[in-house]
Amino acid sequence: MNEQVNEETPMKHAKRRAALPALVMAAVLAVTAACGGRVGENGRIGVVYLNAEGYYAGVERGLRGTLGQEDEGPQLLQTNIQSDPAKESSFINTMSSAKADALIVSPASATASVPAMRLAEESGVPVICYNTCVEDAQARKYVRAFVLGSPTGFGRVSGEQMGDHFLRAGLKDPQVGVVNCEQFEVCVERRKGFEQALKEKVPGARIVASQQGLQLDEAVERAQQLLIAHPDLDAFYGEAGSQTLGAVRAVEARGKAGKIAVFGGDMSVEAAKKLQDGRVLKGVADISGIKVGRLAGRAAQDVLAGRPQTGFVIPAPVDRYLGAQDGARWLREHPDGIP
């Protein structure tokens, strides 16, 4: 990274959540041909989803709500790259050759994704990042706008919630374990915000261990290892959805429900139900995929219409959920489970 990152500087990588199937590019193009050009006559926009978690289903919902369905708005040519820069590069090469009207992308890598971003821009395909982007200096060259929820602000929500929990419990020197996703820079920034807020509330709090677990099964395993190595843990922080749910499942599996609290990121049906249950998961910070999709869709509309951008970074709101009532509220507000 070339410069110090702050809340206004585009992050490199991403949050992970729960399930959106990839669309096969050849099949999409075949449908276009079969429709005799009707699909896509209002434009074509390539969309890259970083992985198969439900957050990206929310992004798609937000995009379609803003851009319109394909019979009235642009066709969305979508792919799930499974965090693979090679898959991303192949898709963006296709979009660049096809002269798509725009590209909305959550890049896999701050560095490895740069050539694909450069190719798109040089091919006349404007790029809008959301959730993740390439390193800031390159993003400012090849990307028109970046929809981003503050990662340090995101982490602060959990730090404040956990700190209040410890204060209510009268714990002055609690021990905390972290299940992290710090392969991605956004997760590093979340941890900074979390630790700062927690220390402000409870100066004696200690992070005794941190393990990376990117997929849910791996996160469960890492949290269980932390519980074995540190049986006196008072709480876990999960930096994103898989890490949060992994910590919850590990606590439950080892019979520690009601003794060890979990705070973390990213709402989903399972997270909302665990929050409603209240024995383990106590609080969740969230950036809605639907809201991010709406903002990215509006940014694409502005770029395509030639309207000036008010700023490179388009802030996405960070929502906070605390306790059983908020878990129940989320489930009522998301009956189809799309975050």
Side-chain angles (χ1 to χ4, degrees), residues 307-319:
R307 289 189 287 266
Q309 298 293 120
T310 57
F312 177 69
V313 174
I314 300 171
V318 179
D319 300 318

Side-chain angles (χ1 to χ4, degrees), residues 156-172 174 176 194 197-203 205 235 263 322:
R156 284 194 64 86
V157 169
S158 294
E160 291 167 357
Q161 290 177 337
M162 186 181 288
D164 288 338
H165 169 79
F166 289 147
L167 291 175
R168 287 192 297 270
L171 295 174
K172 296 181 179 179
V176 178
F194 165 74
L198 177 60
K199 289 285 189 178
E200 288 172 1
K201 293 272 187 179
V202 185
F263 296 83
L322 183 67

Side-chain angles (χ1 to χ4, degrees), residues 111-152:
T111 53
S113 297
V114 171
M117 302 295 105
R118 181 191 303 120
L119 174 63
E121 174 65 20
E122 291 176 351
S123 300
V125 180
V127 178
I128 293 96
C129 280
Y130 71 95
N131 185 48
T132 67
C133 206
V134 293
E135 59 186 11
D136 190 56
Q138 302 301 315
R140 304 269 176 178
K141 290 181 181 179
Y142 307 123
V143 176
R144 305 295 181 88
F146 182 15
V147 179
L148 175 69
S150 167
T152 53

Side-chain angles (χ1 to χ4, degrees), residues 212-282:
Q212 178 169 285
L214 297 181
Q215 304 302 321
L216 181 56
D217 289 347
E218 183 186 13
V220 174
E221 183 179 352
R222 296 295 177 265
Q224 288 179 334
Q225 291 171 352
L226 289 177
L227 286 170
I228 293 170
H230 302 276
D232 295 327
L233 280 182
D234 296 292
F236 272 110
Y237 173 51
E239 291 178 348
S242 294
Q243 294 74 48
T244 300
L245 291 176
V248 171
R249 291 187 185 184
V251 169
E252 292 175 338
R254 299 196 66 81
K256 297 287 188 178
K259 299 177 182 178
I260 298 177
V262 175
F263 296 83
D266 302 341
M267 287 298 284
S268 63
V269 170
E270 183 177 355
K273 288 180 176 179
K274 295 298 185 183
L275 190 60
Q276 186 177 28
D277 175 76
R279 291 179 300 157
V280 180
L281 186 59
K282 305 295 185 181

Side-chain angles (χ1 to χ4, degrees), residues 60-76 301:
E60 182 187 26
R61 171 77 58 87
L63 285 172
R64 291 205 181 278
T66 300
L67 298 172
Q69 299 300 317
E70 289 184 351
D71 59 349
E72 61 188 47
Q75 181 187 19
L76 299 186
Q301 288 175 328

